[in-house]
Amino acid sequence: MYALIRRSRDRGLAQEFHDRLRGRVRQKMGRDPMPADKAFSALSDFPGRHSRAG
């Protein structure tokens, strides 16, 4: 049992489940499923994007 929990933790399954559940709740509330802080984080991780300094 411990090995199953460890593997799911290592693969990020709990975080993915949490993110999906939060998205569904936000949609039911009439909000964007992705919070603004996550949206900006996702954009910064987008391949080919470079930050523009100053």
Side-chain angles (χ1 to χ4, degrees):
M1 184 65 174
Y2 177 74
L4 176 65
I5 294 169
R6 187 182 67 226
R7 281 194 305 265
S8 67
R9 181 198 65 210
D10 292 345
R11 292 180 183 154
L13 296 178
Q15 183 65 44
E16 181 179 344
F17 177 75
H18 178 264
D19 291 344
R20 287 182 182 201
L21 182 61
R22 181 183 56 221
R24 286 184 179 187
V25 170
R26 289 178 61 88
Q27 278 185 318
K28 286 188 179 197
M29 293 173 59
R31 300 172 73 180
D32 192 312
M34 184 181 288
D37 63 334
K38 290 280 187 176
F40 288 118
S41 177
L43 286 176
S44 66
D45 295 337
F46 189 73
R49 286 214 181 246
H50 302 286
S51 62
R52 295 181 184 179

mmCIF file of all heavy atoms in Angstrom:
data_model
loop_
_atom_site.group_PDB
_atom_site.id
_atom_site.type_symbol
_atom_site.label_atom_id
_atom_site.label_comp_id
_atom_site.label_asym_id
_atom_site.label_seq_id
_atom_site.Cartn_x
_atom_site.Cartn_y
_atom_site.Cartn_z
ATOM 1 N N MET A 1 0.822 -1.195 0.000
ATOM 2 C CA MET A 1 0.000 0.000 0.000
ATOM 3 C C MET A 1 0.867 1.261 0.000
ATOM 4 O O MET A 1 0.583 2.199 -0.722
ATOM 5 C CB MET A 1 -0.926 -0.053 1.225
ATOM 6 C CG MET A 1 -1.896 1.077 1.276
ATOM 7 S SD MET A 1 -3.013 0.942 -0.123
ATOM 8 C CE MET A 1 -4.128 2.214 0.228
ATOM 9 N N TYR A 2 1.919 1.253 0.830
ATOM 10 C CA TYR A 2 2.790 2.431 0.892
ATOM 11 C C TYR A 2 3.428 2.717 -0.463
ATOM 12 O O TYR A 2 3.542 3.869 -0.873
ATOM 13 C CB TYR A 2 3.864 2.238 1.959
ATOM 14 C CG TYR A 2 4.823 3.400 2.009
ATOM 15 C CD1 TYR A 2 4.431 4.611 2.566
ATOM 16 C CD2 TYR A 2 6.096 3.306 1.455
ATOM 17 C CE1 TYR A 2 5.284 5.694 2.590
ATOM 18 C CE2 TYR A 2 6.958 4.388 1.477
ATOM 19 C CZ TYR A 2 6.550 5.566 2.046
ATOM 20 O OH TYR A 2 7.396 6.635 2.062
ATOM 21 N N ALA A 3 3.820 1.664 -1.176
ATOM 22 C CA ALA A 3 4.455 1.852 -2.482
ATOM 23 C C ALA A 3 3.496 2.527 -3.461
ATOM 24 O O ALA A 3 3.908 3.382 -4.242
ATOM 25 C CB ALA A 3 4.929 0.516 -3.041
ATOM 26 N N LEU A 4 2.216 2.176 -3.410
ATOM 27 C CA LEU A 4 1.214 2.788 -4.284
ATOM 28 C C LEU A 4 1.080 4.280 -3.979
ATOM 29 O O LEU A 4 1.067 5.117 -4.889
ATOM 30 C CB LEU A 4 -0.138 2.095 -4.095
ATOM 31 C CG LEU A 4 -1.306 2.686 -4.861
ATOM 32 C CD1 LEU A 4 -1.097 2.524 -6.362
ATOM 33 C CD2 LEU A 4 -2.602 2.033 -4.429
ATOM 34 N N ILE A 5 1.014 4.617 -2.704
ATOM 35 C CA ILE A 5 0.909 6.018 -2.314
ATOM 36 C C ILE A 5 2.162 6.786 -2.717
ATOM 37 O O ILE A 5 2.084 7.896 -3.230
ATOM 38 C CB ILE A 5 0.656 6.125 -0.788
ATOM 39 C CG1 ILE A 5 -0.711 5.533 -0.453
ATOM 40 C CG2 ILE A 5 0.758 7.571 -0.322
ATOM 41 C CD1 ILE A 5 -0.950 5.346 1.021
ATOM 42 N N ARG A 6 3.313 6.202 -2.515
ATOM 43 C CA ARG A 6 4.578 6.855 -2.871
ATOM 44 C C ARG A 6 4.654 7.097 -4.377
ATOM 45 O O ARG A 6 5.039 8.178 -4.818
ATOM 46 C CB ARG A 6 5.754 6.016 -2.399
ATOM 47 C CG ARG A 6 7.098 6.730 -2.587
ATOM 48 C CD ARG A 6 8.275 5.889 -2.157
ATOM 49 N NE ARG A 6 8.395 4.764 -3.053
ATOM 50 C CZ ARG A 6 8.585 3.495 -2.661
ATOM 51 N NH1 ARG A 6 8.658 3.191 -1.392
ATOM 52 N NH2 ARG A 6 8.681 2.527 -3.542
ATOM 53 N N ARG A 7 4.266 6.111 -5.173
ATOM 54 C CA ARG A 7 4.305 6.281 -6.632
ATOM 55 C C ARG A 7 3.349 7.378 -7.086
ATOM 56 O O ARG A 7 3.690 8.187 -7.946
ATOM 57 C CB ARG A 7 3.978 4.971 -7.341
ATOM 58 C CG ARG A 7 5.137 4.006 -7.392
ATOM 59 C CD ARG A 7 4.874 2.881 -8.383
ATOM 60 N NE ARG A 7 3.631 2.180 -8.122
ATOM 61 C CZ ARG A 7 3.509 1.051 -7.412
ATOM 62 N NH1 ARG A 7 4.578 0.497 -6.888
ATOM 63 N NH2 ARG A 7 2.336 0.482 -7.247
ATOM 64 N N SER A 8 2.148 7.406 -6.508
ATOM 65 C CA SER A 8 1.197 8.441 -6.917
ATOM 66 C C SER A 8 1.699 9.819 -6.512
ATOM 67 O O SER A 8 1.536 10.785 -7.245
ATOM 68 C CB SER A 8 -0.189 8.176 -6.338
ATOM 69 O OG SER A 8 -0.187 8.320 -4.947
ATOM 70 N N ARG A 9 2.353 9.924 -5.355
ATOM 71 C CA ARG A 9 2.918 11.204 -4.912
ATOM 72 C C ARG A 9 4.050 11.617 -5.846
ATOM 73 O O ARG A 9 4.126 12.770 -6.277
ATOM 74 C CB ARG A 9 3.448 11.083 -3.481
ATOM 75 C CG ARG A 9 4.028 12.393 -2.955
ATOM 76 C CD ARG A 9 4.911 12.181 -1.758
ATOM 77 N NE ARG A 9 6.071 11.411 -2.169
ATOM 78 C CZ ARG A 9 6.740 10.578 -1.365
ATOM 79 N NH1 ARG A 9 6.369 10.401 -0.134
ATOM 80 N NH2 ARG A 9 7.792 9.924 -1.818
ATOM 81 N N ASP A 10 4.920 10.686 -6.182
ATOM 82 C CA ASP A 10 6.058 10.993 -7.049
ATOM 83 C C ASP A 10 5.618 11.412 -8.447
ATOM 84 O O ASP A 10 6.296 12.195 -9.100
ATOM 85 C CB ASP A 10 7.000 9.793 -7.142
ATOM 86 C CG ASP A 10 7.711 9.503 -5.835
ATOM 87 O OD1 ASP A 10 7.700 10.376 -4.933
ATOM 88 O OD2 ASP A 10 8.260 8.391 -5.695
ATOM 89 N N ARG A 11 4.498 10.914 -8.888
ATOM 90 C CA ARG A 11 3.996 11.263 -10.223
ATOM 91 C C ARG A 11 3.135 12.521 -10.205
ATOM 92 O O ARG A 11 2.673 12.979 -11.252
ATOM 93 C CB ARG A 11 3.181 10.100 -10.791
ATOM 94 C CG ARG A 11 4.030 8.902 -11.101
ATOM 95 C CD ARG A 11 3.205 7.786 -11.655
ATOM 96 N NE ARG A 11 4.028 6.611 -11.878
ATOM 97 C CZ ARG A 11 3.574 5.378 -11.881
ATOM 98 N NH1 ARG A 11 2.296 5.145 -11.681
ATOM 99 N NH2 ARG A 11 4.387 4.369 -12.086
ATOM 100 N N GLY A 12 2.871 13.053 -9.023
ATOM 101 C CA GLY A 12 2.096 14.280 -8.919
ATOM 102 C C GLY A 12 0.601 14.088 -9.092
ATOM 103 O O GLY A 12 -0.109 15.029 -9.426
ATOM 104 N N LEU A 13 0.109 12.878 -8.859
ATOM 105 C CA LEU A 13 -1.309 12.610 -9.079
ATOM 106 C C LEU A 13 -2.202 13.368 -8.100
ATOM 107 O O LEU A 13 -3.275 13.840 -8.484
ATOM 108 C CB LEU A 13 -1.582 11.104 -8.988
ATOM 109 C CG LEU A 13 -0.892 10.251 -10.056
ATOM 110 C CD1 LEU A 13 -1.194 8.774 -9.835
ATOM 111 C CD2 LEU A 13 -1.324 10.680 -11.443
ATOM 112 N N ALA A 14 -1.785 13.505 -6.861
ATOM 113 C CA ALA A 14 -2.599 14.228 -5.880
ATOM 114 C C ALA A 14 -2.731 15.700 -6.282
ATOM 115 O O ALA A 14 -3.819 16.275 -6.210
ATOM 116 C CB ALA A 14 -1.993 14.106 -4.490
ATOM 117 N N GLN A 15 -1.635 16.305 -6.738
ATOM 118 C CA GLN A 15 -1.681 17.708 -7.156
ATOM 119 C C GLN A 15 -2.553 17.871 -8.398
ATOM 120 O O GLN A 15 -3.337 18.810 -8.500
ATOM 121 C CB GLN A 15 -0.272 18.236 -7.431
ATOM 122 C CG GLN A 15 -0.251 19.711 -7.789
ATOM 123 C CD GLN A 15 -0.699 20.589 -6.646
ATOM 124 O OE1 GLN A 15 -0.288 20.380 -5.510
ATOM 125 N NE2 GLN A 15 -1.554 21.543 -6.926
ATOM 126 N N GLU A 16 -2.438 16.928 -9.330
ATOM 127 C CA GLU A 16 -3.268 16.998 -10.542
ATOM 128 C C GLU A 16 -4.744 16.865 -10.179
ATOM 129 O O GLU A 16 -5.591 17.609 -10.692
ATOM 130 C CB GLU A 16 -2.878 15.883 -11.512
ATOM 131 C CG GLU A 16 -3.674 15.914 -12.793
ATOM 132 C CD GLU A 16 -3.283 14.834 -13.775
ATOM 133 O OE1 GLU A 16 -2.210 14.233 -13.622
ATOM 134 O OE2 GLU A 16 -4.082 14.599 -14.704
ATOM 135 N N PHE A 17 -5.092 15.941 -9.270
ATOM 136 C CA PHE A 17 -6.466 15.772 -8.831
ATOM 137 C C PHE A 17 -6.978 17.058 -8.170
ATOM 138 O O PHE A 17 -8.075 17.516 -8.452
ATOM 139 C CB PHE A 17 -6.558 14.598 -7.853
ATOM 140 C CG PHE A 17 -7.933 14.401 -7.286
ATOM 141 C CD1 PHE A 17 -8.933 13.835 -8.053
ATOM 142 C CD2 PHE A 17 -8.223 14.782 -5.992
ATOM 143 C CE1 PHE A 17 -10.209 13.659 -7.537
ATOM 144 C CE2 PHE A 17 -9.487 14.608 -5.470
ATOM 145 C CZ PHE A 17 -10.486 14.046 -6.246
ATOM 146 N N HIS A 18 -6.162 17.637 -7.323
ATOM 147 C CA HIS A 18 -6.536 18.875 -6.636
ATOM 148 C C HIS A 18 -6.789 20.001 -7.638
ATOM 149 O O HIS A 18 -7.770 20.734 -7.537
ATOM 150 C CB HIS A 18 -5.434 19.271 -5.653
ATOM 151 C CG HIS A 18 -5.708 20.549 -4.931
ATOM 152 N ND1 HIS A 18 -5.204 21.751 -5.352
ATOM 153 C CD2 HIS A 18 -6.446 20.800 -3.827
ATOM 154 C CE1 HIS A 18 -5.622 22.695 -4.532
ATOM 155 N NE2 HIS A 18 -6.369 22.146 -3.595
ATOM 156 N N ASP A 19 -5.903 20.141 -8.611
ATOM 157 C CA ASP A 19 -6.044 21.193 -9.617
ATOM 158 C C ASP A 19 -7.322 21.021 -10.446
ATOM 159 O O ASP A 19 -8.020 21.988 -10.736
ATOM 160 C CB ASP A 19 -4.833 21.224 -10.540
ATOM 161 C CG ASP A 19 -3.577 21.704 -9.844
ATOM 162 O OD1 ASP A 19 -3.676 22.289 -8.745
ATOM 163 O OD2 ASP A 19 -2.477 21.479 -10.403
ATOM 164 N N ARG A 20 -7.615 19.775 -10.813
ATOM 165 C CA ARG A 20 -8.830 19.520 -11.599
ATOM 166 C C ARG A 20 -10.082 19.803 -10.783
ATOM 167 O O ARG A 20 -11.040 20.390 -11.288
ATOM 168 C CB ARG A 20 -8.850 18.076 -12.088
ATOM 169 C CG ARG A 20 -7.862 17.807 -13.195
ATOM 170 C CD ARG A 20 -7.960 16.400 -13.664
ATOM 171 N NE ARG A 20 -6.977 16.123 -14.688
ATOM 172 C CZ ARG A 20 -7.082 15.124 -15.537
ATOM 173 N NH1 ARG A 20 -8.106 14.310 -15.487
ATOM 174 N NH2 ARG A 20 -6.148 14.936 -16.430
ATOM 175 N N LEU A 21 -10.089 19.377 -9.533
ATOM 176 C CA LEU A 21 -11.230 19.616 -8.667
ATOM 177 C C LEU A 21 -11.437 21.115 -8.449
ATOM 178 O O LEU A 21 -12.556 21.620 -8.531
ATOM 179 C CB LEU A 21 -11.039 18.904 -7.328
ATOM 180 C CG LEU A 21 -12.175 19.032 -6.324
ATOM 181 C CD1 LEU A 21 -13.458 18.452 -6.896
ATOM 182 C CD2 LEU A 21 -11.802 18.326 -5.033
ATOM 183 N N ARG A 22 -10.348 21.859 -8.202
ATOM 184 C CA ARG A 22 -10.444 23.303 -8.025
ATOM 185 C C ARG A 22 -11.008 23.957 -9.279
ATOM 186 O O ARG A 22 -11.849 24.851 -9.205
ATOM 187 C CB ARG A 22 -9.075 23.897 -7.697
ATOM 188 C CG ARG A 22 -9.131 25.414 -7.486
ATOM 189 C CD ARG A 22 -7.782 26.012 -7.228
ATOM 190 N NE ARG A 22 -6.868 25.688 -8.301
ATOM 191 C CZ ARG A 22 -5.600 25.352 -8.127
ATOM 192 N NH1 ARG A 22 -5.090 25.293 -6.922
ATOM 193 N NH2 ARG A 22 -4.832 25.078 -9.146
ATOM 194 N N GLY A 23 -10.582 23.508 -10.456
ATOM 195 C CA GLY A 23 -11.087 24.054 -11.708
ATOM 196 C C GLY A 23 -12.583 23.850 -11.862
ATOM 197 O O GLY A 23 -13.304 24.756 -12.283
ATOM 198 N N ARG A 24 -13.060 22.674 -11.485
ATOM 199 C CA ARG A 24 -14.493 22.397 -11.579
ATOM 200 C C ARG A 24 -15.292 23.271 -10.620
ATOM 201 O O ARG A 24 -16.357 23.786 -10.966
ATOM 202 C CB ARG A 24 -14.773 20.930 -11.285
ATOM 203 C CG ARG A 24 -14.356 20.021 -12.406
ATOM 204 C CD ARG A 24 -14.746 18.612 -12.122
ATOM 205 N NE ARG A 24 -14.361 17.749 -13.224
ATOM 206 C CZ ARG A 24 -14.701 16.488 -13.312
ATOM 207 N NH1 ARG A 24 -15.422 15.926 -12.366
ATOM 208 N NH2 ARG A 24 -14.313 15.770 -14.335
ATOM 209 N N VAL A 25 -14.786 23.425 -9.411
ATOM 210 C CA VAL A 25 -15.469 24.268 -8.430
ATOM 211 C C VAL A 25 -15.508 25.709 -8.912
ATOM 212 O O VAL A 25 -16.541 26.382 -8.832
ATOM 213 C CB VAL A 25 -14.790 24.161 -7.044
ATOM 214 C CG1 VAL A 25 -15.317 25.204 -6.086
ATOM 215 C CG2 VAL A 25 -14.982 22.766 -6.468
ATOM 216 N N ARG A 26 -14.393 26.205 -9.439
ATOM 217 C CA ARG A 26 -14.334 27.574 -9.932
ATOM 218 C C ARG A 26 -15.320 27.773 -11.089
ATOM 219 O O ARG A 26 -15.978 28.797 -11.175
ATOM 220 C CB ARG A 26 -12.923 27.936 -10.362
ATOM 221 C CG ARG A 26 -11.966 28.097 -9.186
ATOM 222 C CD ARG A 26 -10.556 28.415 -9.656
ATOM 223 N NE ARG A 26 -10.496 29.657 -10.394
ATOM 224 C CZ ARG A 26 -10.323 30.856 -9.850
ATOM 225 N NH1 ARG A 26 -10.172 30.971 -8.554
ATOM 226 N NH2 ARG A 26 -10.277 31.931 -10.601
ATOM 227 N N GLN A 27 -15.432 26.799 -11.991
ATOM 228 C CA GLN A 27 -16.379 26.902 -13.105
ATOM 229 C C GLN A 27 -17.808 26.970 -12.593
ATOM 230 O O GLN A 27 -18.605 27.755 -13.092
ATOM 231 C CB GLN A 27 -16.229 25.717 -14.049
ATOM 232 C CG GLN A 27 -15.114 25.880 -15.038
ATOM 233 C CD GLN A 27 -15.073 24.741 -16.030
ATOM 234 O OE1 GLN A 27 -15.250 23.578 -15.670
ATOM 235 N NE2 GLN A 27 -14.807 25.064 -17.274
ATOM 236 N N LYS A 28 -18.153 26.144 -11.603
ATOM 237 C CA LYS A 28 -19.506 26.156 -11.052
ATOM 238 C C LYS A 28 -19.819 27.487 -10.386
ATOM 239 O O LYS A 28 -20.970 27.893 -10.311
ATOM 240 C CB LYS A 28 -19.695 25.011 -10.068
ATOM 241 C CG LYS A 28 -19.818 23.684 -10.757
ATOM 242 C CD LYS A 28 -20.190 22.582 -9.812
ATOM 243 C CE LYS A 28 -20.315 21.299 -10.601
ATOM 244 N NZ LYS A 28 -21.040 20.271 -9.893
ATOM 245 N N MET A 29 -18.779 28.176 -9.917
ATOM 246 C CA MET A 29 -18.957 29.490 -9.297
ATOM 247 C C MET A 29 -18.993 30.600 -10.348
ATOM 248 O O MET A 29 -19.137 31.768 -10.017
ATOM 249 C CB MET A 29 -17.824 29.764 -8.310
ATOM 250 C CG MET A 29 -17.839 28.852 -7.099
ATOM 251 S SD MET A 29 -16.394 29.049 -6.039
ATOM 252 C CE MET A 29 -16.494 30.764 -5.606
ATOM 253 N N GLY A 30 -18.824 30.234 -11.630
ATOM 254 C CA GLY A 30 -18.846 31.219 -12.707
ATOM 255 C C GLY A 30 -17.515 31.916 -12.912
ATOM 256 O O GLY A 30 -17.461 32.983 -13.521
ATOM 257 N N ARG A 31 -16.457 31.324 -12.415
ATOM 258 C CA ARG A 31 -15.127 31.925 -12.541
ATOM 259 C C ARG A 31 -14.298 31.138 -13.537
ATOM 260 O O ARG A 31 -14.639 30.023 -13.916
ATOM 261 C CB ARG A 31 -14.444 31.928 -11.171
ATOM 262 C CG ARG A 31 -15.226 32.727 -10.146
ATOM 263 C CD ARG A 31 -14.673 32.582 -8.780
ATOM 264 N NE ARG A 31 -13.418 33.319 -8.679
ATOM 265 C CZ ARG A 31 -12.701 33.363 -7.576
ATOM 266 N NH1 ARG A 31 -13.074 32.726 -6.490
ATOM 267 N NH2 ARG A 31 -11.573 34.055 -7.543
ATOM 268 N N ASP A 32 -13.193 31.718 -13.956
ATOM 269 C CA ASP A 32 -12.247 31.038 -14.834
ATOM 270 C C ASP A 32 -11.688 29.823 -14.091
ATOM 271 O O ASP A 32 -11.321 29.934 -12.922
ATOM 272 C CB ASP A 32 -11.113 31.998 -15.204
ATOM 273 C CG ASP A 32 -10.254 31.460 -16.324
ATOM 274 O OD1 ASP A 32 -9.850 30.282 -16.258
ATOM 275 O OD2 ASP A 32 -9.983 32.212 -17.264
ATOM 276 N N PRO A 33 -11.618 28.657 -14.754
ATOM 277 C CA PRO A 33 -11.138 27.470 -14.055
ATOM 278 C C PRO A 33 -9.676 27.557 -13.613
ATOM 279 O O PRO A 33 -9.270 26.867 -12.689
ATOM 280 C CB PRO A 33 -11.329 26.341 -15.054
ATOM 281 C CG PRO A 33 -11.615 26.970 -16.352
ATOM 282 C CD PRO A 33 -12.059 28.373 -16.098
ATOM 283 N N MET A 34 -8.898 28.417 -14.253
ATOM 284 C CA MET A 34 -7.498 28.542 -13.876
ATOM 285 C C MET A 34 -7.285 29.858 -13.137
ATOM 286 O O MET A 34 -7.504 30.920 -13.714
ATOM 287 C CB MET A 34 -6.586 28.486 -15.103
ATOM 288 C CG MET A 34 -5.102 28.510 -14.753
ATOM 289 S SD MET A 34 -4.017 28.485 -16.185
ATOM 290 C CE MET A 34 -4.224 26.823 -16.740
ATOM 291 N N PRO A 35 -6.841 29.801 -11.881
ATOM 292 C CA PRO A 35 -6.589 31.045 -11.145
ATOM 293 C C PRO A 35 -5.533 31.892 -11.847
ATOM 294 O O PRO A 35 -4.667 31.376 -12.552
ATOM 295 C CB PRO A 35 -6.077 30.578 -9.792
ATOM 296 C CG PRO A 35 -6.367 29.140 -9.703
ATOM 297 C CD PRO A 35 -6.534 28.625 -11.095
ATOM 298 N N ALA A 36 -5.603 33.195 -11.652
ATOM 299 C CA ALA A 36 -4.703 34.124 -12.332
ATOM 300 C C ALA A 36 -3.239 33.819 -12.045
ATOM 301 O O ALA A 36 -2.408 33.874 -12.950
ATOM 302 C CB ALA A 36 -5.025 35.555 -11.932
ATOM 303 N N ASP A 37 -2.887 33.472 -10.810
ATOM 304 C CA ASP A 37 -1.487 33.200 -10.506
ATOM 305 C C ASP A 37 -0.990 31.968 -11.252
ATOM 306 O O ASP A 37 0.139 31.910 -11.698
ATOM 307 C CB ASP A 37 -1.250 33.069 -9.004
ATOM 308 C CG ASP A 37 -1.988 31.897 -8.382
ATOM 309 O OD1 ASP A 37 -3.020 31.487 -8.934
ATOM 310 O OD2 ASP A 37 -1.529 31.410 -7.338
ATOM 311 N N LYS A 38 -1.841 30.978 -11.448
ATOM 312 C CA LYS A 38 -1.464 29.792 -12.218
ATOM 313 C C LYS A 38 -1.350 30.120 -13.694
ATOM 314 O O LYS A 38 -0.510 29.592 -14.392
ATOM 315 C CB LYS A 38 -2.482 28.667 -12.023
ATOM 316 C CG LYS A 38 -2.475 28.042 -10.674
ATOM 317 C CD LYS A 38 -1.360 27.053 -10.579
ATOM 318 C CE LYS A 38 -1.475 26.292 -9.271
ATOM 319 N NZ LYS A 38 -0.493 25.270 -9.140
ATOM 320 N N ALA A 39 -2.206 30.996 -14.189
ATOM 321 C CA ALA A 39 -2.169 31.370 -15.599
ATOM 322 C C ALA A 39 -0.850 32.054 -15.931
ATOM 323 O O ALA A 39 -0.219 31.757 -16.940
ATOM 324 C CB ALA A 39 -3.341 32.280 -15.945
ATOM 325 N N PHE A 40 -0.419 32.964 -15.077
ATOM 326 C CA PHE A 40 0.856 33.641 -15.313
ATOM 327 C C PHE A 40 2.016 32.678 -15.208
ATOM 328 O O PHE A 40 2.963 32.738 -15.971
ATOM 329 C CB PHE A 40 1.040 34.809 -14.345
ATOM 330 C CG PHE A 40 0.149 35.972 -14.666
ATOM 331 C CD1 PHE A 40 -0.804 36.400 -13.763
ATOM 332 C CD2 PHE A 40 0.239 36.619 -15.881
ATOM 333 C CE1 PHE A 40 -1.637 37.463 -14.055
ATOM 334 C CE2 PHE A 40 -0.595 37.683 -16.194
ATOM 335 C CZ PHE A 40 -1.534 38.105 -15.275
ATOM 336 N N SER A 41 1.924 31.746 -14.272
ATOM 337 C CA SER A 41 2.970 30.745 -14.116
ATOM 338 C C SER A 41 3.038 29.856 -15.359
ATOM 339 O O SER A 41 4.112 29.541 -15.849
ATOM 340 C CB SER A 41 2.702 29.890 -12.879
ATOM 341 O OG SER A 41 3.655 28.878 -12.755
ATOM 342 N N ALA A 42 1.871 29.472 -15.881
ATOM 343 C CA ALA A 42 1.831 28.622 -17.071
ATOM 344 C C ALA A 42 2.424 29.345 -18.272
ATOM 345 O O ALA A 42 3.121 28.742 -19.089
ATOM 346 C CB ALA A 42 0.396 28.199 -17.362
ATOM 347 N N LEU A 43 2.164 30.637 -18.390
ATOM 348 C CA LEU A 43 2.730 31.394 -19.502
ATOM 349 C C LEU A 43 4.237 31.499 -19.408
ATOM 350 O O LEU A 43 4.941 31.444 -20.407
ATOM 351 C CB LEU A 43 2.125 32.802 -19.551
ATOM 352 C CG LEU A 43 0.702 32.895 -20.049
ATOM 353 C CD1 LEU A 43 0.215 34.330 -19.943
ATOM 354 C CD2 LEU A 43 0.598 32.415 -21.480
ATOM 355 N N SER A 44 4.761 31.629 -18.204
ATOM 356 C CA SER A 44 6.210 31.756 -18.058
ATOM 357 C C SER A 44 6.918 30.450 -18.389
ATOM 358 O O SER A 44 8.085 30.453 -18.749
ATOM 359 C CB SER A 44 6.569 32.198 -16.641
ATOM 360 O OG SER A 44 6.232 31.202 -15.709
ATOM 361 N N ASP A 45 6.194 29.320 -18.296
ATOM 362 C CA ASP A 45 6.783 28.018 -18.618
ATOM 363 C C ASP A 45 6.584 27.635 -20.078
ATOM 364 O O ASP A 45 7.041 26.590 -20.503
ATOM 365 C CB ASP A 45 6.156 26.932 -17.737
ATOM 366 C CG ASP A 45 6.487 27.125 -16.275
ATOM 367 O OD1 ASP A 45 7.501 27.789 -15.987
ATOM 368 O OD2 ASP A 45 5.736 26.614 -15.435
ATOM 369 N N PHE A 46 5.911 28.501 -20.845
ATOM 370 C CA PHE A 46 5.608 28.190 -22.234
ATOM 371 C C PHE A 46 6.899 28.180 -23.060
ATOM 372 O O PHE A 46 7.671 29.132 -23.024
ATOM 373 C CB PHE A 46 4.634 29.234 -22.795
ATOM 374 C CG PHE A 46 4.089 28.887 -24.144
ATOM 375 C CD1 PHE A 46 3.160 27.880 -24.287
ATOM 376 C CD2 PHE A 46 4.520 29.556 -25.263
ATOM 377 C CE1 PHE A 46 2.652 27.555 -25.532
ATOM 378 C CE2 PHE A 46 4.025 29.240 -26.517
ATOM 379 C CZ PHE A 46 3.078 28.236 -26.645
ATOM 380 N N PRO A 47 7.150 27.098 -23.808
ATOM 381 C CA PRO A 47 8.364 27.034 -24.617
ATOM 382 C C PRO A 47 8.411 28.144 -25.663
ATOM 383 O O PRO A 47 7.399 28.475 -26.265
ATOM 384 C CB PRO A 47 8.278 25.671 -25.315
ATOM 385 C CG PRO A 47 7.191 24.930 -24.646
ATOM 386 C CD PRO A 47 6.323 25.912 -23.934
ATOM 387 N N GLY A 48 9.546 28.719 -25.836
ATOM 388 C CA GLY A 48 9.724 29.755 -26.848
ATOM 389 C C GLY A 48 9.483 31.148 -26.320
ATOM 390 O O GLY A 48 9.737 32.130 -27.000
ATOM 391 N N ARG A 49 8.978 31.273 -25.105
ATOM 392 C CA ARG A 49 8.762 32.599 -24.508
ATOM 393 C C ARG A 49 10.035 33.023 -23.785
ATOM 394 O O ARG A 49 10.654 32.244 -23.099
ATOM 395 C CB ARG A 49 7.627 32.567 -23.500
ATOM 396 C CG ARG A 49 6.293 32.489 -24.140
ATOM 397 C CD ARG A 49 5.327 33.276 -23.282
ATOM 398 N NE ARG A 49 4.011 33.199 -23.850
ATOM 399 C CZ ARG A 49 3.367 34.222 -24.350
ATOM 400 N NH1 ARG A 49 3.893 35.413 -24.321
ATOM 401 N NH2 ARG A 49 2.174 34.095 -24.859
ATOM 402 N N HIS A 50 10.389 34.256 -23.946
ATOM 403 C CA HIS A 50 11.552 34.803 -23.265
ATOM 404 C C HIS A 50 11.109 36.030 -22.489
ATOM 405 O O HIS A 50 10.338 36.845 -22.992
ATOM 406 C CB HIS A 50 12.638 35.202 -24.265
ATOM 407 C CG HIS A 50 13.086 34.046 -25.117
ATOM 408 N ND1 HIS A 50 13.884 33.044 -24.629
ATOM 409 C CD2 HIS A 50 12.803 33.716 -26.400
ATOM 410 C CE1 HIS A 50 14.106 32.160 -25.594
ATOM 411 N NE2 HIS A 50 13.448 32.548 -26.673
ATOM 412 N N SER A 51 11.612 36.150 -21.285
ATOM 413 C CA SER A 51 11.255 37.335 -20.506
ATOM 414 C C SER A 51 11.977 38.538 -21.078
ATOM 415 O O SER A 51 13.108 38.452 -21.556
ATOM 416 C CB SER A 51 11.614 37.142 -19.036
ATOM 417 O OG SER A 51 12.998 36.974 -18.898
ATOM 418 N N ARG A 52 11.306 39.677 -21.037
ATOM 419 C CA ARG A 52 11.900 40.915 -21.543
ATOM 420 C C ARG A 52 12.288 41.770 -20.357
ATOM 421 O O ARG A 52 11.433 42.284 -19.655
ATOM 422 C CB ARG A 52 10.904 41.664 -22.409
ATOM 423 C CG ARG A 52 10.553 40.892 -23.649
ATOM 424 C CD ARG A 52 9.595 41.673 -24.495
ATOM 425 N NE ARG A 52 9.196 40.866 -25.636
ATOM 426 C CZ ARG A 52 8.357 41.269 -26.538
ATOM 427 N NH1 ARG A 52 7.798 42.455 -26.453
ATOM 428 N NH2 ARG A 52 8.038 40.495 -27.540
ATOM 429 N N ALA A 53 13.544 41.910 -20.149
ATOM 430 C CA ALA A 53 14.037 42.719 -19.022
ATOM 431 C C ALA A 53 14.059 44.188 -19.429
ATOM 432 O O ALA A 53 14.512 44.531 -20.512
ATOM 433 C CB ALA A 53 15.426 42.270 -18.602
ATOM 434 N N GLY A 54 13.543 45.026 -18.497
ATOM 435 C CA GLY A 54 13.612 46.462 -18.572
ATOM 436 C C GLY A 54 13.275 47.142 -19.782
ATOM 437 O O GLY A 54 13.402 48.064 -20.323
#
